[in-house]
Amino acid sequence: MELKMEIIGGVARFQGDVFPQQRDLFQALARDGQKPKTLMISCADSRVVPELITQSGPGELFVCRNAGNIVPPFAMKNGGVSSAVEYAVVALGVSEIIICGHSDCGAMKAFFNPEALETMPNVKAWLSHAEPAHEVVRTCYGHLDHDEQVQAMVLENVAIQLVHLQNHPAVAAGLAAGKLSLHGWFFDIESGTIKALDSNGEFRDTNNPDDLPVAVPARKPRSVSRIVKAA
């Protein structure tokens, strides 16, 4: 009952205090539709709120949240994440996609305590899409202590999901056409800081908005005619 009252109370405050101040914005969104420029794929963790982190208002950020900020390979098809990616790129025409991992991620910690997943077969199956990141940690970071390995797992998982993302046809086409850029972020809950993956595979600070690291920049289409003539 206490939780129910908190939720209902929040709705009442939104309707009574927040919505009236943004009525024109919501009416415009209802009339004209949404035109977000960015898709953010983040973890479903309740401590990670994409709109709060990016200070985005209604209509500015298309969000897809799931356990472990995972993007299944396109071969899986028909999943909610794949559908959200395709819709964001094809229908909404977003120009940026962010995959955002975070500190103290329960999904990534589960790889170090697999017994905890035995009673959650669906979660276990879902997290198999992060298994490549776990293998990287096992192979390359075995010298680190437990907490450091979990941190490495979070970072490597962001990089792996970016690889999966690039194999989605709509994303591959957007990158090739120079219309889409991909970003990998790590959000530290305790400090509120964000590090972004650069094209060299390193996570860097995001203190300078004019020098924001981009994991996979948009590129110019290849000059196929020159290749054909040269051949």
Side-chain angles (χ1 to χ4, degrees):
M1 180 61 71
E2 181 180 352
L3 176 62
K4 183 178 179 180
M5 291 305 297
E6 288 180 359
I7 297 297
I8 293 176
V11 172
R13 288 192 298 275
F14 169 75
Q15 293 176 335
D17 301 329
V18 177
F19 182 82
Q21 298 178 27
Q22 302 188 54
R23 186 184 304 275
D24 292 344
L25 171 60
F26 279 102
Q27 289 179 343
L29 290 171
R31 180 180 65 249
D32 303 328
Q34 60 173 327
K35 298 180 178 66
K37 299 300 182 185
T38 302
L39 162 64
M40 189 165 179
I41 302 170
S42 75
C43 188
D45 192 299
S46 62
R47 300 166 295 178
V48 180
V49 185
E51 293 86 353
L52 183 63
I53 293 171
T54 61
Q55 288 295 282
S56 299
E60 295 179 345
L61 190 65
F62 196 68
V63 176
C64 179
R65 300 178 69 173
N66 66 76
N69 42 273
I70 282 171
V71 179
F74 179 72
M76 302 300 295
K77 295 187 177 180
N78 294 331
V81 177
S82 299
S83 299
V85 169
E86 186 174 80
Y87 185 81
V89 175
V90 177
L92 298 179
V94 299
S95 56
E96 315 284 341
I97 301 179
I98 301 167
I99 295 180
C100 183
H102 66 94
S103 60
D104 195 41
C105 180
M108 299 301 103
K109 290 165 73 173
F111 280 88
F112 302 90
N113 183 26
E115 296 80 9
L117 295 176
E118 292 306 316
T119 58
M120 294 182 284
N122 287 309
V123 176
K124 183 177 181 179
W126 176 252
L127 293 182
S128 67
H129 298 305
E131 185 58 44
H134 186 224
E135 188 61 28
V136 170
V137 173
R138 281 163 44 91
T139 303
C140 302
Y141 301 100
H143 60 286
L144 300 179
D145 65 30
H146 176 268
D147 290 343
E148 291 172 331
Q149 287 190 30
V150 172
Q151 177 92 336
M153 178 75 191
V154 172
L155 300 178
E156 292 295 342
N157 181 58
V158 170
I160 288 295
Q161 303 314 318
L162 280 169
V163 172
H164 292 172
L165 184 61
Q166 291 175 70
N167 290 322
H168 286 243
V171 174
L175 288 168
K179 297 179 179 180
L180 189 63
S181 298
L182 308 183
H183 306 263
W185 284 8
F186 168 76
F187 171 61
D188 185 78
I189 296 173
E190 185 175 7
S191 67
T193 57
I194 289 177
K195 292 185 181 296
L197 189 65
D198 65 18
S199 58
N200 294 318
E202 299 293 332
F203 280 86
R204 293 166 37 202
D205 293 331
T206 57
N207 299 329
N208 184 0
D210 296 325
D211 185 31
L212 183 67
V214 180
V216 186
R219 65 172 176 83
K220 295 180 179 179
R222 296 185 178 93
S223 180
V224 177
S225 59
R226 292 182 182 179
I227 296 174
V228 173
K229 290 178 181 178

